[in-house]
Amino acid sequence: MPRSVNVVASRRRRKKMMKEARGYFGRRSNVWTVAKNAIEKGRVYAYRDRKVKKRNFRALWIQRINAGARIHGLSYSQFIGKLHAADIELNRKVLADLAMNHPEAFKAVVDKVK
């Protein structure tokens, strides 16, 4: 007796992945094996870069805080140290936003910790 295969499910699975590969360049968008490999690789990058994104944003916030603090005569590490000593609990995201978009509010925070 011949082997029974579920063609309906297989085709549905392939169609779903080929739909995901739409927009890829060249054979990556229309050849099954190449598209499958490209999609798997893309998912690996997506998983990894969701974590890398958090690192990149933290680094950006630190640069912005540093630039704002140096205008007022403090380095980043001095500013953060004095912030902790003054028991002010503002995270880096908020501090970076203040330094970038609300310099008068950031100056008030710096004056508070000096």
Side-chain angles (χ1 to χ4, degrees):
M1 188 171 169
R3 188 171 68 97
S4 174
V5 290
N6 190 351
V7 177
V8 176
S10 302
R11 185 181 300 119
R12 186 175 296 139
R13 196 165 40 246
R14 278 195 300 271
K15 277 184 73 170
K16 194 165 71 173
M17 284 189 84
M18 293 305 287
K19 184 177 181 184
E20 195 176 333
R22 207 181 290 155
Y24 284 9
F25 182 79
R27 292 192 310 158
R28 296 172 141 237
S29 65
N30 54 25
V31 175
W32 164 244
T33 51
V34 181
K36 183 168 67 79
N37 291 336
I39 290 164
E40 287 172 358
K41 188 74 164 178
R43 287 177 180 164
V44 169
Y45 285 141
Y47 177 80
R48 181 197 68 189
D49 290 340
R50 279 195 295 275
K51 283 134 191 75
V52 172
K53 181 179 171 185
K54 293 168 181 61
R55 291 179 227 157
N56 290 339
F57 268 102
R58 185 180 169 96
L60 176 67
W61 296 332
I62 288 171
Q63 288 168 3
R64 288 178 175 174
I65 294 166
N66 191 21
R70 285 186 186 276
I71 291 170
H72 302 293
L74 289 173
S75 71
Y76 169 78
S77 61
Q78 290 169 336
F79 175 65
I80 292 294
K82 290 182 178 189
L83 204 67
H84 287 306
D87 206 31
I88 297 173
E89 293 186 15
L90 289 174
N91 63 21
R92 285 163 181 80
K93 183 178 180 179
V94 171
L95 287 169
D97 183 55
L98 289 176
M100 187 86 173
N101 301 320
H102 309 285
E104 65 286 341
F106 188 76
K107 184 181 184 330
V109 173
V110 172
D111 292 340
K112 184 93 168 163
V113 300
K114 269 191 173 177

